[in-house]
């Protein structure tokens, strides 16, 4: 494991809306050090799920949600617990803030449909301090710092003398953990963190269904929230089972990604406990090029290959959709060539800020969390995939061979709360009213709260709804992301698919038998130079009775590659649906063109319940590595913000955001498959 001496980093910015900039060394290690994962003394074999499908089935979940143990949520007076979050995921009603004197939420929330799986992923940073400061009778409850954190006294301790960050700064030391809160050698904070982590684990085990009904799966996890110079480089840490390290690893103990991975190997994967783990980056859209930066280029060749390999093994998935924006693609970025993709403007939080960002080009920047600094092409997953292909050309290892997922990043203990209708916000006490949610006042990413969205969902193709089956699917990257709807895309690649496969009943069986699924690398072709054949199929989200899902508009294949010219290449192909048909049929009539009535949010026009195509790459180059993924797009519908605006009567009472033309009224919900990679023979 690499050792650090006073490595400077910023450790708060994404945990709050405060404009806090501070370079600080790592905190002192916990004493005693965190224990590694251990195997259960009496391991039990779980019953096989009654609902098991050898051709795999789609399960929907959310692996990114925060409760009262997260510093930012608790500082906004959010009292939802891990139990509340998992109850909510399973379909029960919970109360959202504001909370009354008894700690009961005064707004009710409940999912239209339960999730299949979820994880509570509280920020690992400062859980001990937050819990001590909010637990009456704790060793430090009555300290000045804790009173300031609770808003009962002026902030005079911690970092308040260095930056204005409000209540959150009261419990954060400038050089190390605050002794008046954490006690000698930080022993109070260590004990408090351990207690909170054990409470979260108990809730996770309590709500996980290990009977043969397999009705719900709960995973153990936390968030590693590393922020440097106001750039967000955060990851969720998700475990296969209940074998986990004694303490969560935060960015105070492991400042950057390789530190985190090395500690996870030491405390988890290299033990004999059966502990297995994945790390999932999110919000690369506000990382100023840092999330997918090649950080190891100055290391020895051996160390470069090692770090790239560790990243490929740990970062198997990337969250490309959540409340703080979509991170798939962006138009007009440095050295990206190919036709403009009109659908890349979807939920771009930095585009909704007052000043568009400059391009980082091949550099990195700072400040994206507060809406400043440059934007890099590798802030977006599409071009990170190409960066991975480029790095593989250089050192023989692709560090960015990842699958796609969505989640929410909800800070209301409300996983899966993604419906555009009636959305009550993401972030505790800061958006309890419609007017607050529609605010144009700059906040995260430089955009107002109106720039946020309900977030996305993670889809998994697995045999059954159990920890092992779902985690196996995550490891093989057979996952997909949606912007909220439960759209189900399938994607297979091979060399010998029947051109009429979409008209046959055995499409899925043929996909697995004669090819590979999303998340895989194509095997070598038996006939050199032959172009691969892909099969893409998608079914719409049926929705629920009161809120039916949208019809599908089109099905696309996106191809990316690193050219001999050194540029990043992209091509978007419409393979089925309105746009693909329009190439042959000409212009459509107004009666059939999909649209939405902005006065009632009623959808209009033709659409599809399902789409399917067998497609061969017309520009295939057998000498160039490439990645392909599917994007399925719904017909237009009203964005949550416009639906909220329509609910405010009279119209004269609607806030500024309802009249601002820069805020979209209409969106097209969508789903993204994980990629399938082509590599020339002899590459690996």
């Amino acid at each position: 494991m690499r050792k650090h001496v006073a490595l400077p980093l910023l450790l708060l910015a994404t945990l709050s809306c405060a404009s806090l900039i501070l370079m600080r060394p790592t905190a002192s290690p916990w004493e005693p050090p965190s224990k590694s994962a251990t195997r259960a003394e009496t391991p039990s074999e779980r019953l096989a799920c009654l609902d098991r499908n050898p051709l795999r089935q789609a399960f929907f979940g959310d692996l990114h949600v925060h409760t009262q143990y997260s510093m930012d949520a608790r500082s906004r007076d959010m009292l939802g617990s891990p139990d509340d979050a998992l109850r909510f995921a399973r379909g029960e009603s919970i109360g959202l803030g504001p909370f009354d004197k008894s700690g009961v939420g005064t707004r009710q929330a409940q999912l239209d449909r339960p999730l299949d799986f979820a994880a509570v992923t509280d920020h690992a940073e400062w859980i001990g301090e937050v819990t001590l400061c909010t637990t009456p009778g704790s060793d430090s409850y009555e300290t000045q710092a804790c009173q300031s954190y609770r808003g009962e006294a002026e902030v005079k301790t911690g970092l308040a003398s260095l930056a204005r960050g409000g209540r959150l700064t009261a419990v954060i030391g400038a050089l190390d953990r605050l002794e008046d809160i954490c006690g000698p050698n930080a022993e109070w904070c260590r004990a408090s963190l351990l207690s909170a982590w054990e409470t979260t684990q108990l809730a996770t085990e309590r709500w996980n269904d290990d009977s043969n009904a397999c009705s719900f799966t709960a995973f153990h996890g936390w968030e590693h929230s590393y922020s440097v110079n106001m750039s967000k480089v955060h990851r969720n840490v998700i475990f296969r089972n209940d074998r986990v390290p004694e303490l969560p690893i935060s960015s105070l103990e492991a400042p950057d990604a390789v530190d985190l991975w090395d500690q996870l190997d030491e405390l988890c994967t290299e033990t004999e406990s059966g502990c297995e783990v994945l790390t999932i980056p999110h919000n690369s859209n506000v990382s100023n090029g840092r999330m997918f930066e090649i950080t190891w280029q100055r290391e020895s060749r051996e160390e470069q290959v090692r770090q790239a390999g560790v990243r490929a093994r740990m970062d198997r998935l990337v969250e490309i959709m959540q409340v703080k924006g979509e991170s798939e693609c962006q138009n007009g970025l440095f050295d990206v060539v190919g036709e403009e993709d009109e659908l890349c403007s979807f939920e771009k939080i930095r585009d909704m800020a007052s000043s568009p960002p400059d391009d980082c080009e091949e550099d990195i920047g700072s400040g994206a969390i507060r809406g400043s600094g440059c934007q890099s092409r590798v802030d977006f997953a599409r071009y990170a995939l190409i960066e991975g292909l480029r790095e593989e050309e250089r050192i023989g290892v692709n560090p960015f061979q990842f699958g796609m997922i969505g989640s929410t990043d909800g800070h209301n203990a409300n996983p899966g709360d993604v419906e555009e209708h009636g959305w009550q916000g993401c972030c505790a006490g800061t958006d309890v009213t419609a007017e607050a949610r529609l605010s144009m006042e700059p906040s995260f990413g430089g955009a107002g709260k109106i720039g946020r969205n309900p977030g996305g969902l993670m889809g998994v193709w697995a045999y059954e709804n159990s920890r092992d089956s779902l985690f196996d699917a995550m490891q093989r990257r057979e996952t997909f992301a949606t912007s909220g709807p439960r759209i189900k895309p399938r994607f297979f690649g091979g060399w010998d698919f029947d051109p009429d496969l979409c008209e046959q009943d055995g499409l899925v069986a043929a996909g697995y038998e004669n090819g590979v699924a999303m998340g895989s690398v194509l095997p070598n072709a038996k006939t050199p130079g032959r172009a691969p054949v892909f099969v893409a199929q998608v079914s719409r989200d049926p929705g629920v009775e009161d809120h039916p899902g949208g019809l599908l508009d089109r099905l696309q294949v996106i191809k990316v590659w690193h050219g001999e010219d050194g540029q990043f290449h992209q091509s978007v192909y419409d393979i089925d649906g309105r746009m693909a048909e329009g190439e042959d049929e000409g212009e459509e009539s107004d009666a059939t063109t999909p649209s939405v009535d902005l006065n009632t949010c009623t959808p209009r026009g033709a659409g599809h319940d399902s789409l399917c195509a067998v497609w061969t790459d017309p520009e295939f180059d057998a000498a160039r590595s490439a990645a392909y993924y599917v994007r399925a797009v719904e017909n237009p519908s009203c964005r949550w913000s416009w639906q909220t605006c329509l609910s405010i009567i009279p119209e004269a009472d609607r806030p500024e955001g309802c009249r601002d033309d820069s805020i979209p009224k209409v969106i097209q919900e969508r789903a993204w498959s994980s990629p399938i990679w082509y590599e020339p023979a002899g590459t690996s």
Side-chain angles (χ1 to χ4, degrees):
M1 183 187 304
R2 298 193 310 163
K3 303 297 182 183
H4 281 264
V5 179
L7 179 67
L9 63 148
L10 172 73
L11 287 173
L12 178 61
T14 41
L15 298 183
S16 73
C17 297
S19 296
L20 173 65
I21 305 178
L22 178 70
M23 302 300 288
R24 60 165 291 167
T26 57
S28 299
W30 293 115
E31 289 294 341
S34 177
K35 297 177 184 177
S36 60
T38 57
R39 184 177 295 277
E41 292 183 8
T42 56
S44 58
E45 293 293 329
R46 68 159 295 146
L47 297 172
C49 295
L50 294 175
D51 183 14
R52 182 178 174 84
N53 188 333
L55 295 179
R56 302 166 200 172
Q57 49 194 317
F59 297 103
F60 290 93
D62 185 351
L63 295 183
H64 190 179
V65 69
H66 298 273
T67 76
Q68 63 183 346
Y69 289 136
S70 285
M71 185 181 189
D72 50 351
R74 189 65 182 83
S75 71
R76 297 164 184 157
D77 302 314
M78 207 288 289
L79 303 181
S81 68
D83 265 313
D84 290 327
L86 295 170
R87 286 196 303 109
F88 184 83
R90 291 194 61 159
E92 294 188 23
S93 174
I94 65 169
L96 305 182
F99 292 83
D100 63 23
K101 292 182 179 180
S102 301
V104 177
T106 57
R107 294 182 293 154
Q108 290 300 300
Q110 187 171 14
L111 294 177
D112 289 345
R113 292 169 286 182
L115 295 177
D116 297 308
F117 63 92
V120 170
T121 53
D122 282 310
H123 297 289
E125 293 75 16
W126 303 296
I127 288 177
E129 288 88 334
V130 169
T131 307
L132 286 166
C133 284
T134 55
T135 303
S138 75
D139 291 312
S140 45
Y141 185 79
E142 297 297 341
T143 62
Q144 170 75 29
C146 283
Q147 291 181 52
S148 299
Y149 177 75
R150 297 194 300 272
E152 299 168 2
E154 184 181 352
V155 180
K156 294 182 178 179
T157 57
L159 302 181
S161 61
L162 300 177
R164 286 188 172 184
R167 290 164 52 183
L168 284 81
T169 61
V171 298
I172 303 170
L175 298 176
D176 209 334
R177 298 186 187 273
L178 293 176
E179 187 171 356
D180 58 340
I181 296 179
C182 291
N185 297 318
E187 61 183 49
W188 299 345
C189 282
R190 188 190 193 285
S192 181
L193 169 62
L194 177 60
S195 176
W197 177 227
E198 289 176 341
T199 298
T200 302
Q201 291 177 67
L202 288 171
T204 302
E205 289 303 310
R206 180 160 45 248
W207 291 99
N208 182 62
D209 181 5
D210 58 4
S211 74
N212 61 3
C214 299
S215 61
F216 181 77
T217 298
F219 288 100
H220 295 278
W222 69 74
E223 180 173 331
H224 177 271
S225 306
Y226 173 50
S227 305
V228 55
N229 292 348
M230 296 293 281
S231 300
K232 190 169 186 177
V233 191
H234 290 201
R235 286 172 168 80
N236 290 320
V237 180
I238 303 296
F239 294 87
R240 174 188 286 271
N241 48 42
D242 61 353
R243 271 83 85 188
V244 299
E246 180 195 20
L247 298 172
I249 303 167
S250 81
S251 56
L252 278 72
E253 299 83 46
D256 57 28
V258 70
D259 297 306
L260 172 65
W261 297 324
D262 286 348
Q263 288 194 35
L264 285 171
D265 275 339
E266 179 182 356
L267 298 176
C268 174
T269 57
E270 293 177 355
T271 68
E272 297 181 355
S273 64
C275 179
E276 294 184 54
V277 64
L278 295 174
T279 55
I280 306 175
H282 60 268
N283 277 128
S284 59
N285 58 333
V286 283
S287 72
N288 299 111
R290 295 176 186 270
M291 181 66 80
F292 296 106
E293 179 189 6
I294 305 297
T295 59
W296 46 77
Q297 286 185 323
R298 294 188 179 183
E299 305 284 354
S300 68
R301 182 76 172 192
E302 181 181 12
E303 180 63 11
Q304 290 185 52
V305 171
R306 185 193 79 84
Q307 290 191 27
V310 170
R311 177 155 193 165
R313 172 168 56 87
M314 288 287 195
D315 274 4
R316 303 291 286 178
L317 307 173
V318 169
E319 181 184 304
I320 67 165
M321 183 72 205
Q322 61 128 257
V323 298
K324 299 183 183 80
E326 179 252 71
S327 305
E328 182 209 356
C329 58
Q330 178 69 293
N331 287 313
L333 294 173
F334 172 73
D335 247 8
V336 175
V337 295
E339 291 187 12
E340 183 172 298
D341 182 350
E342 63 172 343
L343 293 175
C344 280
S345 60
F346 182 69
E347 292 299 332
K348 293 295 181 292
I349 197 164
R350 295 200 68 183
D351 285 359
M352 297 187 199
S354 56
S355 301
D358 294 330
D359 198 310
C360 297
E361 299 191 356
E362 293 274 10
D363 205 352
I364 58 173
S366 303
I369 292 165
R370 63 182 180 186
S372 63
C374 61
Q375 186 172 75
S376 169
R377 62 191 176 195
V378 293
D379 285 348
F380 301 95
R382 180 182 293 182
Y383 314 116
L385 290 170
I386 305 174
E387 185 73 276
L389 298 174
R390 179 167 74 161
E391 185 68 354
E392 186 174 34
E393 293 171 3
R394 189 179 73 86
I395 64 172
V397 178
N398 184 344
F400 305 140
Q401 206 164 59
F402 52 77
M404 311 280 205
I405 73 163
S407 281
T408 62
D409 193 12
H411 283 62
N412 280 328
N414 58 336
D417 192 4
V418 294
E419 298 294 347
E420 301 282 325
H421 62 267
W423 187 52
Q424 299 187 67
C426 67
C427 300
T430 63
D431 53 7
V432 298
T433 66
E435 290 73 18
R437 295 191 288 276
L438 295 170
S439 171
M440 298 283 290
E441 186 70 23
S443 57
F444 184 89
K449 290 173 188 169
I450 197 171
R452 296 172 179 168
N453 71 89
L457 290 178
M458 174 182 181
V460 176
W461 288 107
Y463 299 109
E464 63 182 27
N465 188 12
S466 65
R467 282 175 173 168
D468 282 338
S469 188
L470 294 173
F471 198 85
D472 284 345
M474 294 182 216
Q475 286 191 316
R476 65 175 182 265
R477 300 176 293 239
E478 197 171 355
T479 64
F480 56 96
T482 90
S483 61
R486 301 192 184 191
I487 302 168
K488 298 179 181 179
R490 292 272 200 178
F491 189 40
F492 298 99
W495 305 98
D496 299 302
F497 287 130
D498 188 327
D500 298 322
L501 190 55
C502 285
E503 284 71 55
Q504 300 173 16
D505 292 335
L507 183 151
V508 175
Y512 286 119
E513 183 177 351
N514 300 322
V516 296
M518 63 178 77
S520 303
V521 178
L522 283 164
N524 291 336
K526 295 179 181 178
T527 304
R530 185 174 182 178
V533 182
F534 297 93
V535 182
Q537 180 193 58
V538 62
S539 57
R540 62 173 284 202
D541 177 5
V544 296
E545 183 176 356
D546 293 340
H547 299 284
L551 293 171
L552 296 170
D553 176 41
R554 70 189 88 167
L555 180 61
Q556 302 174 309
V557 168
I558 289 90
K559 175 189 177 182
V560 296
W561 70 100
H562 183 235
E564 288 185 276
D565 54 9
Q567 294 181 309
F568 283 30
H569 290 256
Q570 64 177 4
S571 290
V572 179
Y573 300 90
D574 294 305
I575 62 173
D576 197 17
R578 176 173 62 99
M579 300 301 289
E581 295 164 357
E583 293 174 358
D584 298 324
E585 298 174 9
E587 294 295 325
E588 297 173 285
S589 69
D590 290 340
T592 58
T593 301
S595 63
V596 60
D597 184 338
L598 290 179
N599 295 313
T600 64
C601 288
T602 303
R604 299 181 295 200
H608 306 269
D609 290 324
S610 63
L611 296 167
C612 185
V614 178
W615 178 81
T616 301
D617 181 0
E619 300 176 292
F620 178 66
D621 180 352
R624 307 299 302 175
S625 294
Y628 304 81
Y629 65 93
V630 160
R631 184 172 63 191
V633 185
E634 278 189 3
N635 283 352
S637 58
C638 281
R639 191 176 189 264
W640 74 269
S641 51
W642 184 241
Q643 293 189 44
T644 303
C645 288
L646 291 178
S647 72
I648 300 174
I649 300 173
E651 184 175 345
D653 291 345
R654 295 173 186 171
E656 176 190 356
C658 296
R659 299 183 296 274
D660 193 308
D661 292 337
S662 69
I663 305 301
K665 295 180 174 65
V666 175
I667 58 171
Q668 285 189 273
E669 304 273 24
R670 59 200 62 190
W672 304 262
S673 78
S674 290
I676 293 174
W677 288 266
Y678 165 77
E679 297 176 351
T683 300
S684 299

